[in-house]
């Protein structure tokens, strides 16, 4: 009898461990794809503000705004044999209602697995979301990118992604969107240049990036700004006011279906 009771207790304990494992893993695995809509034909429209260097200016930037439309095209397979989805991005002038004004500008790929959602754009592989989704959880989302200090992609070097504001609401153009998560990707600066007027006597830089995802929609907000400033003491007579180079992008959701 004692052996029987012992066996029952052991089996119950094993069953409890297995049950707990399922309760812990399954919601996290489901949450990753919940924050996207990968049905072919689904689309999200944004106001896209492109921050670019002002022509013939050493330190100034300008903003050019468009309407962007991301449309899930089809299920495909990536070069590792994983199920992925191809997405087309098109642009047209902000405020236009002409369907013929859309021009395809980019194609990118979304690859969701049980543990990570990867996005490949411009041949750069980002780990956008990972499991489990927990407030404060961190990971190196740009670890597959060869971001070498001093070269073109240096601003992407060694970013630490962090979850915050889990299940918070997000407001975009007076639309309140529930059940979102924020991924703070990078917030780094030198010379306090991102918080106030740039000190023209000192070199400085600014890198800031974050994205917000909503359940059943996907990306609803993106902000990226990066620049590097070399003071006149560094640039000499060639750039008497210094030289500021970089760029950025801001995307705010307009509609989805």
């Amino acid at each position: 009898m004692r052996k029987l009771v012992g066996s029952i207790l052991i089996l119950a304990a094993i069953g409890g461990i297995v049950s707990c494992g399922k309760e812990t893993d399954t919601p996290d695995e489901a949450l990753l794809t919940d924050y996207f809509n990968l049905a072919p034909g689904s689309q999200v429209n944004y106001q896209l503000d492109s921050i670019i260097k002002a022509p013939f200016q050493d330190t100034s930037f300008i903003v050019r705004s468009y309407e962007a439309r991301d449309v899930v095209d089809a299920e495909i397979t990536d070069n590792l044999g994983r199920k992925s989805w191809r997405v087309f991005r098109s642009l047209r002038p902000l405020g236009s209602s002409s369907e013929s004004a859309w021009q395809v500008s980019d194609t990118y790929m979304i690859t969701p697995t049980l543990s990570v959602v990867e996005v490949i754009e411009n041949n750069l592989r980002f780990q956008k979301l990972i499991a489990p989704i927990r407030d404060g959880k961190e990971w190196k989302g740009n670890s597959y990118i060869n971001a070498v200090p001093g070269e073109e992609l240096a601003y992407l070097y060694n970013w630490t992604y962090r979850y915050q504001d889990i299940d918070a609401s997000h407001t975009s153009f007076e639309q309140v969107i529930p059940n979102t998560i924020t991924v703070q990707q990078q917030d780094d600066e030198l010379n306090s240049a991102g918080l106030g007027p740039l000190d023209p006597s000192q070199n400085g830089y600014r890198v800031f990036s974050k994205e917000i995802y909503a359940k059943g929609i996907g990306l609803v907000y993106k902000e990226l700004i990066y620049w590097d400033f070399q003071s006149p003491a560094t640039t000499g007579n060639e750039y008497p006011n210094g030289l500021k180079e970089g760029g950025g992008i801001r995307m705010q959701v307009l509609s989805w279906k």
Side-chain angles (χ1 to χ4, degrees):
M1 178 63 72
R2 288 181 180 177
K3 289 184 179 179
L4 179 59
V5 172
S7 299
I8 292 173
L9 290 174
I10 291 171
L11 289 172
I14 293 172
I17 292 171
V18 172
S19 176
C20 289
K22 289 182 178 179
E23 291 175 1
T24 301
D25 295 340
T26 303
D28 292 331
E29 293 170 357
L31 277 173
L32 294 181
T33 51
D34 279 354
Y35 286 95
F36 290 84
N37 182 359
L38 296 176
S42 65
Q43 69 179 57
V44 185
N45 285 42
Y46 305 91
Q47 177 174 320
L48 186 155
D49 301 320
S50 179
I51 303 166
I52 60 174
K53 192 76 176 289
F56 311 110
Q57 296 292 320
D58 297 337
T59 61
S60 299
F61 292 84
I62 59 174
V63 177
R64 291 181 176 167
S65 297
Y66 308 87
E67 182 179 359
R69 180 177 66 187
D70 287 12
V71 179
V72 178
D73 174 54
E75 180 183 321
I76 58 176
T77 301
D78 74 356
N79 58 7
L80 298 177
R82 301 176 302 177
K83 184 184 296 186
S84 305
W85 279 262
R86 182 172 55 222
V87 182
F88 290 128
R89 173 169 295 163
S90 302
L91 300 178
R92 70 179 178 183
L94 188 64
S96 172
S97 59
S98 171
E99 287 300 310
S100 63
W102 288 111
Q103 299 291 325
V104 175
S105 65
D106 298 287
T107 303
Y108 63 93
M109 183 169 63
I110 301 174
T111 303
T113 72
L114 294 178
S115 59
V116 63
V117 175
E118 294 183 354
V119 173
I120 297 180
E121 48 187 334
N122 298 318
N123 294 317
L124 301 177
R125 182 177 169 191
F126 300 89
Q127 295 176 297
K128 296 292 190 177
L129 303 180
I130 67 168
I133 294 178
R134 294 286 185 267
D135 191 61
K137 183 175 179 61
E138 297 181 346
W139 69 101
K140 297 294 185 181
N142 297 355
S143 59
Y144 290 114
I145 298 173
N146 186 27
V148 179
E151 296 191 3
E152 183 180 2
L153 299 176
Y155 70 95
L156 294 172
Y157 177 70
N158 200 35
W159 286 14
T160 300
Y161 290 31
R162 180 183 299 106
Y163 284 131
Q164 60 187 44
D165 299 329
I166 307 298
D167 290 330
S169 61
H170 172 72
T171 301
S172 182
F173 298 106
E174 300 184 354
Q175 300 178 95
V176 179
I177 304 169
N179 304 122
T180 72
I181 53 173
T182 295
V183 181
Q184 183 68 57
Q185 298 172 330
Q186 183 72 333
D187 189 358
D188 192 19
E189 65 180 341
L190 176 68
N191 186 22
S192 299
L195 300 179
L198 178 65
D199 184 345
S201 68
Q202 300 181 35
N203 293 341
Y205 65 84
R206 175 66 167 152
V207 182
F208 177 87
S209 185
K210 79 171 182 178
E211 295 181 340
I212 301 176
Y213 293 83
K215 281 187 176 179
I217 301 174
L219 181 71
V220 294
Y221 182 83
K222 176 182 179 70
E223 183 176 0
L224 166 65
I225 181 72
Y226 65 95
W227 50 257
D228 177 82
F229 176 74
Q230 300 177 57
S231 72
T234 302
T235 59
N237 294 332
E238 184 177 4
Y239 300 99
N241 297 315
L243 179 63
K244 188 176 181 182
E245 296 185 294
I249 189 173
R250 181 171 54 247
M251 297 174 64
Q252 304 174 78
V253 69
L254 293 168
S255 61
W256 59 91
K257 64 179 181 179

